[in-house]
Amino acid sequence: GNVQELHRLLTAASVPVATVFCQDRFEKIAASAGYTVGTNRDFSSGIGEFCGGTLGLDAVRSAFGRLGNLFGDADISPVLAEADTQEARIIRVCDKYLQRYDPPSVVIAAGYAYALFAARTLEQYLDAEICGICSRNPPEDECQYPTEYVTDMSSVGKFIASRDPDLVIGSSFERA
């Protein structure tokens, strides 16, 4: 879904798509463009100049702003307008939630980049208390949230139990 959404946004901004690393054949990958936009920096290709990612509305705005500067024929205004519309919807829904409920305390278990995106989003729009991040890959930088690189179920369970959150965000792996 993330790849299709990025392709849709690039098309809306009239930015050409040269190569899709997770689906194209080797011949096309070998002749990739000089610029890259990613859906998740944990899986970056390392090919070309990285222009940004799409984890979060601020990241989308930043990446497409950069693409607008690089590609003279690009029209990023539809993407920026859509980001503004979606952010207004998010704010409205989260405000309704906060009228009825207290902000949640949360532990997030995911790849580092995705978990960091989720933590920042929950904190920004729901005033969530981020109790910690269980990262499935080694964190690539210092994190403002308590973060632990976890490699097995018992580590995840201990981390969650030590924080006693209202909400655990993860996959079926954490549900177990």
Side-chain angles (χ1 to χ4, degrees), residues 74-124:
D75 177 11
I76 64 168
S77 60
V79 174
L80 299 180
E82 185 174 343
D84 291 343
T85 299
Q86 295 307 321
E87 185 167 42
R89 292 178 71 195
I90 291 166
I91 290 169
R92 188 177 67 251
V93 168
C94 290
D95 284 349
K96 284 178 83 172
Y97 174 89
L98 291 171
Q99 289 173 6
R100 294 190 63 180
Y101 305 102
D102 292 332
S105 60
V106 183
V107 166
I108 302 160
Y112 180 71
Y114 198 86
L116 193 56
F117 147 70
R120 289 176 176 158
T121 301
L122 290 165
E123 189 175 63
Q124 179 178 356

Side-chain angles (χ1 to χ4, degrees), residues 36-94:
T36 303
V37 179
T39 59
N40 184 332
R41 72 176 186 212
D42 287 339
F43 307 114
S44 64
S45 68
I47 297 173
E49 184 179 328
F50 186 65
C51 296
T54 57
L55 285 179
L57 295 173
D58 289 340
V60 168
R61 289 181 183 110
S62 176
F64 277 82
R66 181 109 192 279
L67 291 170
N69 291 330
L70 290 169
F71 294 90
D73 293 338
D75 177 11
I76 64 168
S77 60
V79 174
L80 299 180
E82 185 174 343
D84 291 343
T85 299
Q86 295 307 321
E87 185 167 42
R89 292 178 71 195
I90 291 166
I91 290 169
R92 188 177 67 251
V93 168
C94 290

Side-chain angles (χ1 to χ4, degrees), residues 112 116 120 123 130 141-147:
Y112 180 71
L116 193 56
R120 289 176 176 158
E123 189 175 63
I130 307 304
D141 49 26
E142 286 295 315
C143 186
Q144 68 197 70
Y145 309 106
T147 303

Side-chain angles (χ1 to χ4, degrees), residues 7-8 18 23 60 66 110 112 114-115 125 127 154-155 163:
H7 196 282
R8 184 186 73 78
Q23 75 184 40
V60 168
R66 181 109 192 279
Y112 180 71
Y114 198 86
Y125 297 110
D127 298 324
S154 66
S155 298
R163 277 135 176 104

